[in-house]
Amino acid sequence: MAVLDVSLEELAGVVGMTKGTLRNAVSGYDQIRLGRVHRIARALHLSVQEITADGNDGVPDEPPAQPEGPKGPPRRQEKERENKGPKRARDQASAA
């Protein structure tokens, strides 16, 4: 908003939104209705296309790379292979 020399508070007041709602819409956390986009465009003396343009000429962005997470718990089958046989026999084998 600093590029147009308008603060979020000023724009939110003109458009009839709260500062938090406008901030969330600008940052991409929340979607706003098209009617509000038109009001924002009028308040900034811009077209709706100028506000919503992403600069990619209509080509969608690549999805972000997913981080490698920790490996989950062992599968049940793998755990059962370790515990083959009756418990009494396993206890005797470990005691010996």
Side-chain angles (χ1 to χ4, degrees), residues 10-57:
E10 293 170 339
L11 183 59
V14 170
V15 177
M17 300 171 67
T18 65
K19 176 187 167 190
T21 302
L22 183 59
R23 181 184 58 236
N24 288 343
V26 169
S27 63
Y29 287 118
D30 292 336
Q31 295 180 357
I32 59 173
R33 295 176 190 228
L34 190 56
R36 287 190 172 177
V37 174
H38 282 280
R39 281 189 275 174
I40 293 170
R42 272 184 264 138
L44 296 174
H45 305 289
L46 297 171
S47 68
V48 173
Q49 290 79 14
E50 289 174 305
I51 292 175
T52 59
D54 61 1
N56 290 343
D57 298 326

Side-chain angles (χ1 to χ4, degrees), residues 33-94:
R33 295 176 190 228
L34 190 56
R36 287 190 172 177
V37 174
H38 282 280
R39 281 189 275 174
I40 293 170
R42 272 184 264 138
L44 296 174
H45 305 289
L46 297 171
S47 68
V48 173
Q49 290 79 14
E50 289 174 305
I51 292 175
T52 59
D54 61 1
N56 290 343
D57 298 326
V59 178
D61 294 334
E62 289 293 322
Q66 297 296 315
E68 289 288 329
K71 186 178 176 186
R75 300 172 89 191
R76 184 174 178 173
Q77 294 85 4
E78 293 172 5
K79 194 170 186 178
E80 287 177 355
R81 282 189 214 128
E82 298 170 4
N83 299 330
K84 287 237 176 197
K87 183 177 180 188
R88 182 174 36 135
R90 287 192 314 249
D91 291 340
Q92 289 174 355
S94 63

